[in-house]
Amino acid sequence: MRPIDKFPVGQSITFEDGNAHIIRYKYKPYQSAKDPLCINFGQYCVYCEAPITYLRDLEVEHILPKDKNLGYSHLEYDWDNFLIACSTCNGRDNKYNIVAKPDECHYPHLNNTFLSLKYCKGGVVIVNPDLKGKSKLKACKLLELIGLDKTPVTSTQQDKRWEYRMKQWNVAERYKERYENGKLNLDCLMDYIKATGCWSIWFTIFEGHDEVRRRLIEDFPGTSSVCFDANNHYSPIERNPGQEDPV
Ligand SMILES: [Zn+2]
């Protein structure tokens, strides 16, 4: 899962139509935060990384559920409580009944979630087996929360995320071969990746091609560059070094 940097409240941004906007503490109704969130992270689900062709399919995602009484006020409208997700990742089947606070679950705007999860052949997602202790528990919670480990057997009829990842994994393997054979240049490769998403799959498969990894970090809005070591092939590194959970 691509780690991201969230705009702080007060930051000035520019919409595609040229209008300026300053990030606010509150967005009421919360749906009005959709445009600034898309400028922040691109038009991709922050969890499954699928691209959203039409903006109406992207939903403002509440990190802590807006309709549960958790002792917090105004969860519904707070910029700090927003991410952006597709309807499947934001849907009831996966996370409606799970409350995962940031101190017990990894999140892409707080942790290096590319270290939390591992993308394997066929687009299968597992918890990074190298994690230990609290990091491992929080990564497990993230996978449970979003359900990226759902298979054709455990998914609902509507949840085709596994299928999309499988297709993307297979395409990425073929494109890597074409790229290495000089049949595909970097700009064309990036155009394809930006149109079809699944950042983590491409970042995984193009290990060893630093120029591709660098473009993935630079070209996808909001990618947290501090999570990758530019002097060591853009390998993922700890986002919170020295803390109980360094990931
Ligand atoms: Zn999603």
Side-chain angles (χ1 to χ4, degrees), residues 7-165:
F7 290 149
V9 170
Q11 175 149 340
S12 299
I13 62 170
T14 307
F15 291 127
E16 278 175 10
D17 61 9
N19 282 331
H21 175 79
I22 293 173
I23 301 295
R24 303 196 297 264
Y25 282 104
K26 293 189 188 299
Y27 285 83
K28 197 171 180 176
Y30 66 81
Q31 290 88 345
S32 62
K34 192 188 276 186
D35 286 349
L37 286 165
C38 284
I39 297 290
N40 199 160
F41 306 128
Q43 292 178 22
Y44 306 92
C45 173
V46 297
Y47 297 126
C48 73
E49 306 177 332
I52 310 300
T53 315
Y54 301 101
L55 274 181
R56 66 169 179 269
D57 291 329
L58 257 187
E59 298 178 353
V60 174
E61 134 84 348
H62 291 83
I63 298 164
L64 293 172
K66 63 184 180 303
D67 49 0
K68 287 191 192 285
N69 183 2
L70 299 168
Y72 303 92
S73 59
H74 310 302
L75 286 174
E76 186 172 358
Y77 308 119
D78 283 13
W79 172 258
D80 284 350
N81 196 37
F82 297 150
L83 286 173
I84 196 139
C86 72
S87 54
T88 304
C89 288
N90 194 25
R92 280 168 183 268
D93 286 352
N94 296 304
K95 60 190 287 296
Y96 186 70
N97 288 314
I98 306 173
V99 176
K101 296 177 188 170
D103 63 351
E104 53 195 35
C105 180
H106 282 166
Y107 280 100
H109 62 303
L110 300 173
N111 302 94
N112 185 351
T113 39
F114 191 75
L115 268 180
S116 310
L117 305 176
K118 194 168 164 146
Y119 290 71
C120 311
K121 190 146 187 78
V124 172
V125 182
I126 60 171
V127 169
N128 178 355
D130 297 333
L131 296 184
K132 298 188 171 48
K134 185 138 193 177
S135 300
K136 184 174 185 173
L137 290 175
K138 288 171 73 172
C140 287
K141 189 79 177 176
L142 173 66
L143 198 57
E144 180 197 10
L145 179 72
I146 310 301
L148 292 181
D149 55 347
K150 287 192 175 169
T151 65
V153 177
T154 56
S155 287
T156 60
Q157 195 76 25
Q158 296 79 26
D159 183 0
K160 297 286 187 191
R161 294 175 298 175
W162 62 271
E163 188 178 55
Y164 192 65
R165 283 199 312 273

Side-chain angles (χ1 to χ4, degrees), residues 171-172 174-190 192-193 202 206:
V171 170
R174 288 202 303 275
Y175 272 44
K176 185 186 175 197
E177 212 176 299
R178 290 172 65 184
Y179 180 74
E180 288 175 340
N181 290 336
K183 292 176 180 166
L184 184 66
N185 72 36
L186 182 54
D187 285 331
C188 291
L189 175 65
M190 289 310 302
Y192 183 81
I193 298 174
W202 296 92
F206 277 84

